[in-house]
Amino acid sequence: VHSSGGVRLLCFGDSLTEGYLHGGLRWHPYSRRLEALLNAFRPFEEDQVVTVAQSGAGSQFLQSKLSRALADHKAKQRKPFDYVIILAGTNDLDEMEASELLDQLKILHRLAWDSGVPYTVGVTIPDASIGVDWYVERRKHVNEALKEWANENKERMLLLDLETALPYRSLTDEDREKYWDDHLHFSAAGYDRFGELVWETLQARGLPPSSSTPP
């Protein structure tokens, strides 16, 4: 049950959350599509989707950024976010072993839970054009471990397997052109699809509750 004032979702992460496009000349965060879907589903509520992201940031830097975002919101709204969607790790793959990176991602989720956030959504590190064996294997190890950890914490954590849902290398040339902007970042259509996938993940768990009828 949510208190009055609607539900608040935080989309948190790096450039893939910030909506990096065309080498940083444009921005199209997935939160735009997510907020449109939320508002259509709950038209009589004062819901809000907030984006806090830092392009190029690794998971350790993002921990302090998330702490500040959670504290600032709680101070202003006098309650925590209802949902925090977390995508991080892309910028760490060439620097951290899989086990260390997973530990850093866990810290992000625990920061949200410890601040009173009831649900987080863990997003797997998406595919990329980089086909180097060690890079692909490290990403897959992190993502598989994140899935397992999400299952162990399923009362408070949802999982979106973005690596599988919106791949790079296994798409047709036509779909790759549609959904991807460069070797790491989505196109505007790709970010919109990302937002739809987040919404589908929430809806699969019956979250958030449907809108009340108008007065």
Side-chain angles (χ1 to χ4, degrees):
V1 179
H2 298 280
S3 58
S4 60
V7 299
R8 299 288 184 268
L9 289 81
L10 172 61
C11 302
F12 183 82
D14 51 29
S15 59
L16 293 165
T17 296
E18 200 168 12
Y20 183 99
L21 264 181
H22 304 335
L25 296 176
R26 286 186 58 208
W27 305 89
H28 191 93
Y30 75 84
S31 56
R32 291 181 186 175
R33 179 62 178 149
L34 178 59
E35 186 166 32
L37 291 166
L38 175 65
N39 291 339
F41 183 68
R42 292 164 49 89
F44 310 111
E45 309 294 341
E46 296 180 357
D47 298 332
Q48 183 181 9
V49 179
V50 176
T51 302
V52 175
Q54 179 69 56
S55 292
S59 54
Q60 289 179 312
F61 174 86
L62 288 172
Q63 290 162 17
S64 59
K65 193 172 184 71
L66 179 58
S67 294
R68 289 194 301 272
L70 294 169
D72 289 349
H73 176 82
K74 206 168 183 178
K76 293 175 183 176
Q77 301 291 332
R78 297 184 181 176
K79 66 169 189 170
F81 283 103
D82 298 293
Y83 313 95
V84 177
I85 300 100
I86 298 171
L87 171 55
T90 296
N91 296 311
D92 300 301
L93 282 172
D94 61 346
E95 298 178 358
M96 290 186 187
E97 293 297 330
S99 59
E100 181 185 359
L101 179 47
L102 179 66
D103 287 342
Q104 299 304 319
L105 298 180
K106 287 180 178 180
I107 289 172
L108 290 168
H109 288 269
R110 291 190 177 116
L111 285 170
W113 297 334
D114 290 347
S115 78
V117 174
Y119 298 101
T120 58
V121 179
V123 183
T124 58
I125 302 171
D127 195 8
S129 68
I130 303 168
V132 181
D133 287 347
W134 68 262
Y135 184 94
V136 173
E137 286 304 308
R138 184 174 295 173
R139 185 184 68 237
K140 290 188 176 299
H141 282 313
V142 172
N143 286 342
E144 287 304 315
L146 186 65
K147 292 178 198 176
E148 293 177 10
W149 192 63
N151 189 57
E152 293 168 4
N153 292 276
K154 55 188 175 184
E155 75 284 352
R156 57 184 179 176
M157 183 176 176
L158 291 70
L159 191 285
L160 166 56
D161 188 1
L162 190 61
E163 179 188 30
T164 300
L166 198 55
Y168 181 95
R169 286 170 298 157
S170 62
L171 289 180
T172 63
D173 290 343
E174 182 179 0
D175 281 345
R176 191 179 302 116
E177 181 72 20
K178 177 180 179 181
Y179 291 117
W180 288 83
D181 184 57
D182 61 28
H183 66 293
L184 279 177
H185 301 97
F186 301 119
S187 65
Y191 285 120
D192 284 346
R193 181 60 186 141
F194 182 6
E196 291 166 1
L197 290 165
V198 172
W199 178 247
E200 292 166 11
T201 300
L202 291 169
Q203 286 285 278
R205 285 280 291 271
L207 303 169
S210 59
S211 179
S212 59
T213 55

